[in-house]
Amino acid sequence: MDADDYGTNEAQDSDFPAVERSRLQEMLSLLGLETYQAQKLSLQDSLQISSDSMKNWAPQAPKDLPWNFLRKLQALNAEARNTTMVLDVPPDARPAEKESQMEEEIIYWDAADDVSADIYSFSELPTPDTPVNPLDLLCALLLSSDSFLQQEIVHKMSLCQFALPLVLPDSENHYHTFLLWALRGVVRTWWAQPPRGVGSLREDSAVLSRAPAFAFVRMEVSSNSKSQLLNAVLSPGHRPRDCFWHRDLNVGTNPREIADGLVEVSWFLPSGREDLDIFPEPVAFLNLRGDIGSHWLQFKLLTEVSSAVFILTDNISKKEYKLLYSMKGSATKYYFILSPYRGKRNANLRFLNRLIPVLKMDHSHVLVKVSSTDSAGFVRRVRSIVAHVARSPCRRLSVEEMAHAARKLGLRVDEDCEECQRAKERMERITRKIKDSDAYRRDELRLQGDPWRKAAQVEKELCQAQWAGDPPDKGRAELRHRLLELRAQQNGHEPAGGVQEFITAISGPSLGEKQYFLRWMEWGLARVASPRPRQPPETILTLRPKHCGVVDLSELLWPEPLGVEHFLREMGQFYEAESCLVEAGKLPASQRRFAHFPGLALELLLKGLPLELVDGSTLSTPLRWVTGLLKELHARLERRSRLVVLSALGVPGTGKSTLLNTMFGLRFATGRGCGPRGAFMQLVTVAESFSQDLGCDHILVIDSGGLIGGALATAGERFELEASLATLLVGLSNVTVVSLAETRDIPPAILHAFLRLEKTGHMPNYQFVYQNLHDTCAPGPRPRERRQLLDPPGDAIRAGAQMEKQGGGGIRTLADLAFCDPEKQHVWHIPGLWHGVPPMAAVSLGYSEAIFELKRCLLENIRNGLSNQNKSIQQLIELVRRL
């Protein structure tokens, strides 16, 4: 047997169908997943906050393993595939001499074990082991998850640089699934270097980009491990990568029960560095788990989509010879990796000599690897073969094109369900009309741009006059009249064709189809959006203004891509215009056409779509729209409406969106200088069993997006607007996380917000997070850098103080402003996100662990009441109006 196939069952599904069925059911029962076969586990189920969210605990029974895996995967923990379990024995029941060792022991569990057995037999148990192979756990979890949780699992696995499932076996129902939809959310970035010219950073969907693919399979028994060989091929120099799980990775030796037939895929992606780039272009590697004789359908697929197939074996039997002979005429290149001293050498040579002309091979296609073979030299030889095939004319398919081949062979493709296809058709009816993003916004999204910008400016002036306490005068009457004119102009329009199609799509009765449609829209709009040049990471962080003073509010910090939020903004403006006219008595309430729009948007929020709180195009809050959303939320949540608001602020590019996504499993847009600019909110549900202890039912998470420009301005209209928006977000919050790229790089607008709120007595629980954006192997907290936050204030703080007419003399350090005590964990140092050099770098374990500790601290503060009193939704509505 192949070393990483240790203990697998070699029988074909058709030979032992009853055994296979019981094996799958037993595995699902062992893991506690049998209840999710009729009603699949959803993404929202997996993201609920419970008491376990505050514990860094090891699973104690097989039923804990799926949840432990999901929790670690959400946190991008590189050890998520570790299925080790620890028996939690009460201290008073432990033998004294074993107490120091007890927590480190790994217990072998069996479904039939009696947990109440005599614990003093502990030391007499057999070699510690766990009953679940990580690949079995992955397959069982994917079979128990809906399409959107499957997609999230695969996306997080890609960030961890784990090999991704491509074909999911299901021996119970005798069909296998090609996971096209699950992979569609994966985006790959690599350095493209043309033969002539300047290289550039490219980004594309993993299912759409074409690349040569190389499959590695096992025939009968092999002394060499496919997975270890693949990992070695993918690892430059002495930097090992464990993309593919194998027997030497902790618990990899456990027998596979249901994962045979699984096909995995991983890519090599060049970074532009000669010392790291094994291949000059992207290359895909495919790995079939199990023997090709038992999984001929998967093997047949691999031969039709791969540029070359490497077959690892010790023996070539007559049965396998006949199967390979049937591949006569295939365009795929075949290579054998043999260990002849372990097999029947003469028989192997006889069969190989017959196969060479049939498979169009020569003797260079037969590689021999025995125990005395130089491993490094052998890996170099395999790489040279891959590079040679990739350079020559060869088959290059995208994952989407591989799915076509899978359909022809009778495999099920997850994307072919009716809901998904109807949603795709709706998306295409919208996106096929988009030839130019700017022209589309101007012609189809007519209520945005100048009409909304002018209305927002008039509303701002009205608000300033009201809060200034000035008596009603002619000027205010003129402003109200002008506002009604602008709103009447907006209300005179009808939703354009694309907006109508969007509204129809999110109005349907099927929640699943709505979710499919939103995902399709995100990808479809990303494909048709005007291409933007990719900038190095430092560019956004080092931008400086050419001048200060009054800034045109229409000036963009970066070209804002067309996205789903623009369609929702349009719906919001129809609702705003209509509501304004109804309030002024200019339109009877009975003639309202758009009153149901907030309810439609709320459905999307509850299903995980971020909704805009502050409009990124005008940097203003559509008050009636946001109020309508919150009222709908209050009606929907009913008795479970206690909220804690958590906001994250910082300069774009400091990693705050990634931090929130990693902490809570959210979907805020990430990427320096290329995402939407508005402030977005998402809702995180607290499990009912934990809500009483935590003191809230939901956490409303707000990401400030690109609202805060950092050093772009310290004075003038732009700064005043940013400071007002920062005050709004911090003022709404129970907890505020300030994300910093450099310890001294504290955005002036945020400091100004703290100054304002300090005067009112409302100060949220705050955490300053210093994220190391450049050091990929950063150590733990650095006291010296923490102390820098307490250094005397710079010009930004003094400028903010002057605007508040406080003078700068009373503010000696940031501690005087925000009660910042580094000894009380108000300041955090987060290691670099990546371990290694992107795009092949995985998320560092230090980053994942630091984010978990920050999350635990935030939840602990909420539970202990340090984040001020939780808010009802009605109180939040009133706060939005006041702020």
Side-chain angles (χ1 to χ4, degrees):
M1 275 186 198
D2 179 344
D4 58 305
D5 290 324
Y6 178 88
T8 58
N9 187 295
E10 304 296 332
Q12 296 188 44
D13 295 347
S14 57
D15 294 337
F16 300 96
V19 173
E20 293 291 349
R21 281 196 296 272
S22 63
R23 182 176 296 146
L24 177 60
Q25 290 303 318
E26 287 175 3
M27 179 61 64
L28 293 173
S29 177
L30 181 70
L31 296 173
L33 296 173
E34 70 276 14
T35 57
Y36 296 107
Q37 298 314 295
Q39 183 69 34
K40 299 294 187 182
L41 188 64
S42 72
L43 180 57
Q44 282 67 37
D45 293 334
S46 70
L47 299 181
Q48 280 196 0
I49 293 178
S50 67
S51 58
D52 291 337
S53 303
M54 300 177 65
K55 303 173 186 174
N56 192 7
W57 57 277
Q60 299 169 13
K63 286 180 170 61
D64 296 333
L65 292 174
W67 304 103
N68 183 67
F69 175 77
L70 287 173
R71 191 175 298 107
K72 285 190 173 181
L73 200 60
Q74 174 188 313
L76 303 178
N77 192 308
E79 296 181 350
R81 295 179 295 187
N82 187 339
T83 58
T84 300
M85 293 182 294
V86 176
L87 180 61
D88 186 20
V89 182
D92 57 354
R94 299 176 182 174
E97 66 274 15
K98 293 288 183 180
E99 187 163 350
S100 62
Q101 306 171 12
M102 194 68 69
E103 292 183 356
E104 299 180 3
E105 292 285 0
I106 304 171
I107 308 303
Y108 177 84
W109 286 79
D110 186 81
D113 282 351
D114 181 3
V115 181
S116 62
D118 183 5
I119 63 169
Y120 291 98
S121 62
F122 182 83
S123 59
E124 300 173 3
L125 288 174
T127 304
D129 212 343
T130 60
V132 181
N133 185 287
L135 295 175
D136 286 337
L137 173 62
L138 174 63
C139 289
L141 190 53
L142 289 172
L143 289 170
S144 306
S145 303
D146 68 12
S147 298
F148 305 99
L149 180 53
Q150 286 182 350
Q151 198 173 81
E152 184 70 6
I153 289 171
V154 171
H155 172 63
K156 296 291 188 181
M157 289 179 67
S158 73
L159 294 175
C160 294
Q161 293 295 343
F162 298 161
L164 308 180
L166 183 67
V167 176
L168 179 65
D170 182 356
S171 53
E172 171 80 7
N173 299 300
H174 298 287
Y175 64 72
H176 309 295
T177 304
F178 189 95
L179 298 178
L180 176 61
W181 171 262
L183 283 160
R184 195 171 281 279
V186 177
V187 175
R188 292 298 190 189
T189 305
W190 69 94
W191 186 260
Q193 180 65 58
R196 297 175 182 175
V198 180
S200 61
L201 201 60
R202 288 194 57 189
E203 184 177 275
D204 202 358
S205 166
V207 305
L208 298 177
S209 54
R210 291 179 172 175
F214 295 84
F216 285 69
V217 301
R218 171 172 62 81
M219 187 167 66
E220 281 200 342
V221 177
S222 173
S223 304
N224 297 307
S225 166
K226 302 188 310 298
S227 301
Q228 285 181 308
L229 176 59
L230 279 166
N231 289 340
V233 169
L234 285 165
S235 302
H238 300 289
R239 306 185 186 190
R241 291 193 178 113
D242 293 317
C243 300
F244 294 92
W245 189 266
H246 58 84
R247 65 170 303 193
D248 288 345
L249 292 177
N250 199 2
V251 292
T253 55
N254 297 310
R256 289 199 305 271
E257 299 292 338
I258 63 172
D260 276 358
L262 173 70
V263 178
E264 299 166 290
V265 60
S266 187
W267 288 268
F268 174 83
L269 301 166
S271 64
R273 284 182 48 172
E274 291 184 4
D275 58 325
L276 297 178
D277 289 349
I278 301 166
F279 307 107
E281 63 173 323
V283 179
F285 292 89
L286 307 170
N287 183 15
L288 171 62
R289 300 289 181 164
D291 170 43
I292 63 173
S294 302
H295 307 285
W296 186 251
L297 185 62
Q298 288 93 319
F299 176 64
K300 178 70 173 171
L301 172 66
L302 295 183
T303 63
E304 295 193 7
V305 302
S306 302
S307 304
V309 176
F310 289 80
I311 302 172
L312 285 76
T313 187
D314 290 351
N315 300 310
I316 304 176
S317 68
K318 188 173 183 179
K319 175 185 174 183
E320 271 67 35
Y321 163 74
K322 290 181 177 179
L323 290 175
L324 290 172
Y325 193 88
S326 68
M327 306 304 297
K328 183 178 181 180
S330 171
T332 305
K333 294 180 171 61
Y334 292 88
Y335 294 84
F336 284 85
I337 298 178
L338 303 176
S339 298
Y341 298 109
R342 295 180 178 273
K344 302 175 181 178
R345 185 172 183 177
N346 292 334
N348 286 343
L349 291 174
R350 184 171 64 253
F351 286 130
L352 280 173
N353 285 327
R354 294 177 185 175
L355 287 172
I356 282 175
V358 173
L359 300 180
K360 299 178 182 178
M361 300 163 50
D362 58 39
H363 288 88
S364 67
H365 288 225
V366 180
L367 287 72
V368 177
K369 185 177 187 300
V370 294
S371 57
S372 60
T373 304
D374 174 37
S375 296
F378 187 81
V379 169
R380 287 194 296 271
R381 187 176 177 190
V382 173
R383 285 178 183 166
S384 68
I385 292 172
V386 171
H388 173 73
V389 174
R391 283 195 304 268
S392 61
C394 66
R395 181 184 288 135
R396 293 167 185 266
L397 299 180
S398 66
V399 173
E400 201 169 57
E401 291 167 332
M402 293 180 185
H404 295 317
R407 289 187 187 97
K408 291 179 181 178
L409 291 172
L411 274 77
R412 174 180 172 267
V413 177
D414 59 352
E415 209 167 85
D416 291 348
C417 69
E418 290 185 11
E419 285 186 330
C420 183
Q421 290 305 305
R422 284 197 302 267
K424 182 181 180 181
E425 290 170 7
R426 287 190 182 278
M427 175 273 293
E428 290 174 341
R429 286 201 289 270
I430 295 173
T431 56
R432 72 167 60 106
K433 297 178 181 178
I434 304 175
K435 307 302 180 185
D436 178 81
S437 295
D438 293 335
Y440 187 84
R441 285 187 235 196
R442 184 177 60 252
D443 299 336
E444 294 283 313
L445 306 176
R446 296 188 287 265
L447 269 62
Q448 298 174 54
D450 282 340
W452 168 219
R453 190 172 293 114
K454 290 175 181 176
Q457 181 62 29
V458 173
E459 288 190 330
K460 176 186 175 184
E461 292 174 14
L462 271 171
C463 184
Q464 288 173 337
Q466 176 186 347
W467 284 99
D470 297 334
D473 57 18
K474 184 179 177 181
R476 288 172 63 178
E478 288 178 355
L479 286 173
R480 280 193 291 269
H481 178 71
R482 176 62 178 150
L483 178 62
L484 288 174
E485 281 185 342
L486 291 168
R487 291 306 192 186
Q489 290 174 14
Q490 287 183 309
N491 196 57
H493 289 286
E494 292 290 332
V499 178
Q500 284 278 24
E501 188 70 47
F502 182 88
I503 294 168
T504 302
I506 65 173
S507 301
S510 170
L511 288 176
E513 188 171 332
K514 292 178 191 178
Q515 288 180 277
Y516 278 119
F517 171 72
L518 291 170
R519 295 291 173 92
W520 279 119
M521 280 293 290
E522 290 173 14
W523 302 324
L525 293 173
R527 299 292 295 179
V528 302
S530 300
R532 301 180 305 276
R534 297 298 303 273
Q535 301 184 56
E538 294 79 14
T539 304
I540 298 298
L541 298 180
T542 56
L543 285 175
R544 292 294 181 268
K546 295 181 180 178
H547 62 275
C548 292
V550 177
V551 180
D552 181 1
L553 297 185
S554 64
E555 179 186 352
L556 297 178
L557 296 177
W558 57 79
E560 191 182 23
L562 182 64
V564 171
E565 67 274 6
H566 290 89
F567 290 83
L568 289 167
R569 279 181 200 169
E570 191 77 358
M571 291 174 60
Q573 283 307 299
F574 275 108
Y575 180 84
E576 283 269 331
E578 186 180 76
S579 298
C580 183
L581 295 177
V582 170
E583 289 171 9
K586 301 295 184 182
L587 181 72
S590 60
Q591 294 182 19
R592 296 199 67 162
R593 297 178 296 159
F594 310 122
H596 64 295
F597 278 7
L600 296 178
L602 178 68
E603 288 282 357
L604 311 184
L605 177 69
L606 295 176
K607 285 298 180 182
L609 181 76
L611 292 187
E612 210 167 33
L613 176 65
V614 177
D615 187 311
S617 62
T618 62
L619 303 183
S620 59
T621 303
L623 186 60
R624 297 173 186 85
W625 173 246
V626 171
T627 301
L629 286 172
L630 293 176
K631 286 181 177 178
E632 288 287 339
L633 181 62
H634 178 67
R636 182 66 59 89
L637 298 182
E638 295 179 343
R639 63 182 181 84
R640 300 201 70 221
S641 59
R642 295 176 303 162
L643 286 181
V644 162
V645 181
L646 185 152
S647 63
L649 290 83
V651 177
T654 56
K656 63 185 178 308
S657 302
T658 300
L659 181 147
L660 292 175
N661 293 346
T662 306
M663 198 180 298
F664 296 108
L666 303 178
R667 300 187 58 239
F668 291 120
T670 59
R672 296 182 178 92
C674 61
R677 292 175 52 214
F680 288 81
M681 56 184 176
Q682 275 193 264
L683 198 66
V684 181
T685 301
V686 178
E688 287 197 52
S689 60
F690 187 52
S691 61
Q692 194 63 36
D693 188 17
L694 192 62
C696 65
D697 303 305
H698 295 84
I699 297 177
L700 188 68
V701 183
I702 301 175
D703 179 13
S704 65
L707 296 180
I708 310 302
L712 287 170
T714 56
E717 188 175 356
R718 173 81 199 197
F719 172 72
E720 291 180 30
L721 184 58
E722 287 186 357
S724 298
L725 293 171
T727 303
L728 168 67
L729 299 183
V730 177
L732 291 176
S733 303
N734 301 88
V735 181
T736 296
V737 175
V738 181
S739 181
L740 308 173
E742 302 168 2
T743 49
R744 299 294 296 271
D745 186 20
I746 302 171
I750 295 176
L751 294 170
H752 187 60
F754 276 107
L755 277 170
R756 282 181 170 176
L757 291 169
E758 189 180 35
K759 292 197 303 181
T760 68
H762 173 86
M763 286 297 289
N765 179 269
Y766 53 87
Q767 305 293 329
F768 289 97
V769 177
Y770 165 46
Q771 298 206 57
N772 193 322
L773 301 179
H774 307 293
D775 183 4
T776 59
C777 301
R782 301 175 179 178
R784 181 183 62 82
E785 291 172 344
R786 284 187 171 190
R787 298 299 304 180
Q788 284 182 340
L789 280 170
L790 308 183
D791 287 349
D795 295 339
I797 299 180
R798 287 191 290 268
Q802 187 63 37
M803 287 187 65
E804 287 299 305
K805 299 181 174 58
Q806 289 186 2
I811 304 176
R812 296 182 303 277
T813 69
L814 187 59
D816 296 324
L817 169 68
F819 324 106
C820 183
D821 183 352
E823 306 306 322
K824 293 183 179 180
Q825 284 194 309
H826 287 302
V827 183
W828 296 77
H829 173 83
I830 306 294
L833 174 63
W834 302 114
H835 177 69
V837 179
M840 291 298 291
V843 174
S844 76
L845 186 60
Y847 177 86
S848 174
E849 291 175 343
I851 294 297
F852 172 81
E853 284 303 314
L854 175 59
K855 177 181 179 180
R856 185 195 58 75
C857 175
L858 295 176
L859 293 177
E860 193 69 48
N861 289 343
I862 292 171
R863 183 166 68 175
N864 294 336
L866 300 180
S867 58
N868 298 327
Q869 188 176 6
N870 65 61
K871 300 174 174 68
S872 70
I873 295 178
Q874 293 288 8
Q875 290 172 325
L876 186 62
I877 292 171
E878 183 58 30
L879 259 180
V880 171
R881 285 175 174 160
R882 287 171 51 202
L883 287 166

